Amino acid sequence: MSKLRIFFLTSFSLIAFAANSLLCRFALKGTEIDASSFTSIRLFSGAITLWLLVCITQRQTTISGNWKSAFALFVYAACFSFAYVGLTAATGALLLFGAVQITMIGFGIWKGERLDFTKFFGIILAFGGLVYLLLPGISSPSLFSSVFMMIAGLAWGIYSLRGGRSKNPTATTAGNFIRAVPFSIILNIVTLEKINIDSYGFLFAVLSGALASGMGYAVWYSVLPFLKSTKASVIQLIVPVIASLGGVIFIAEPLTLRIFVSSLFILFGIALVIFDRFKATLKS
């Protein structure tokens, strides 16, 4: 794969990840759709898209995945939707990717990875940024919604760790999306009295599932083998920046000083940990 193609495919994936935040926030803010319905439609349309991709691009249409990963995927998608009822696109993306990276870094520490000063300082910076973002104040986000988004990040981190060794990521992701649909149906049954769907909300949910999730994940996994793991982790930190700019341009959301400062702390702190891993790999 040429470097130019890798660049364009990677760019498409990152924009797709950011688009998930924008589509979900815009749907829950500007249409009548509820969070449960958005979750179900997103997962269902993502499952169909990924299944079709497997059928079209692979000789054997074997769908893999497992129920534990599917449940983690469902928790991520559901908490993601409920969080965006009360968060801006920028704040949600920042909390999500901060929680994802902290989860994966924490897993490495739990598995015995040593902490030197740079890594420790990076973790303190990242946590400090999250604390500053959530401190009470005029511009602080909803604590309830913030907790939901951090749970979504934790679930997505677990999902990523579980699927990191998959030999066929597209087929695995397709299987997990398909298995996640029944969980979303149960969620809709539980919240039946609040179910509400309109045409625009339905459209945004389908775009989120089919394009931003299904196509986005498929393209990301296709280019991931050509990226070093450290580079892939660092590149994903661009997503909150794209979501922030998209929120300002397309949804007219304010880019507050609190978001800007906390973004610097969180992203720089995580980058310190990841780059330090990269230097350690070069030395070994």
Side-chain angles (χ1 to χ4, degrees):
M1 187 180 291
S2 67
K3 291 184 178 180
L4 184 62
R5 189 179 181 186
I6 292 173
F7 172 78
F8 281 114
L9 291 178
T10 303
S11 298
F12 172 82
S13 301
L14 297 176
I15 292 171
F17 294 159
N20 263 326
S21 293
L22 296 174
L23 288 166
C24 184
R25 174 58 178 162
F26 192 72
L28 295 173
K29 176 185 178 183
T31 76
E32 298 300 321
I33 195 170
D34 65 284
S36 298
S37 299
F38 186 93
T39 301
S40 295
I41 296 168
R42 178 189 177 190
L43 289 173
F44 185 73
S45 56
I48 293 175
T49 302
L50 287 163
W51 178 76
L52 289 174
L53 282 173
V54 172
C55 293
I56 294 170
T57 61
Q58 301 183 16
R59 294 180 181 179
Q60 295 181 346
T61 58
T62 302
I63 301 297
S64 52
N66 60 80
W67 287 101
K68 290 181 179 179
S69 293
F71 182 71
L73 175 64
F74 160 73
V75 172
Y76 149 73
C79 289
F80 182 89
S81 299
F82 279 97
Y84 267 126
V85 172
L87 295 178
T88 64
T91 304
L94 185 60
L95 287 171
L96 176 70
F97 279 87
V100 169
Q101 294 295 337
I102 288 173
T103 298
M104 299 182 77
I105 292 169
F107 178 78
I109 295 172
W110 181 69
K111 294 291 289 185
E113 185 175 330
R114 294 182 179 180
L115 280 179
D116 57 19
F117 176 77
T118 304
K119 290 180 183 178
F120 181 76
F121 182 64
I123 291 172
I124 294 298
L125 273 182
F127 272 109
L130 286 175
V131 170
Y132 174 68
L133 181 64
L134 299 175
L135 281 175
I138 296 175
S139 59
S140 63
S142 162
L143 182 60
F144 182 78
S145 296
S146 299
V147 170
F148 263 109
M149 189 58 82
M150 287 189 286
I151 294 173
L154 173 64
W156 184 251
I158 293 171
Y159 179 81
S160 300
L161 289 167
R162 288 185 57 84
R165 298 178 181 179
S166 174
K167 295 180 179 179
N168 192 338
T170 304
T172 300
T173 307
N176 289 331
F177 262 79
I178 292 170
R179 288 179 175 85
V181 170
F183 293 120
S184 69
I185 293 174
I186 295 173
L187 175 63
N188 278 327
I189 293 173
V190 173
T191 60
L192 188 60
E193 294 182 357
K194 297 182 180 179
I195 295 296
N196 193 19
I197 305 174
D198 63 351
S199 57
Y200 283 107
F202 180 84
L203 175 62
F204 290 137
V206 169
L207 288 175
S208 176
L211 186 61
S213 296
M215 291 296 296
Y217 297 162
V219 172
W220 173 251
Y221 285 131
S222 71
V223 77
L224 200 56
F226 300 95
L227 299 173
K228 293 181 180 179
S229 58
T230 302
K231 185 182 290 185
S233 298
V234 174
I235 286 172
Q236 288 186 71
L237 300 181
I238 300 173
V239 175
V241 179
I242 299 174
S244 299
L245 294 175
V248 172
I249 295 170
F250 297 109
I251 316 180
E253 292 183 340
L255 186 60
T256 65
L257 179 63
R258 182 188 289 260
I259 294 176
F260 179 75
V261 172
S262 60
S263 296
L264 290 179
F265 274 78
I266 294 170
L267 301 183
F268 183 67
I270 292 172
L272 277 179
V273 177
I274 295 172
F275 277 125
D276 197 59
R277 283 181 177 179
F278 181 57
K279 289 190 295 183
T281 302
L282 290 177
K283 290 179 182 179
S284 60

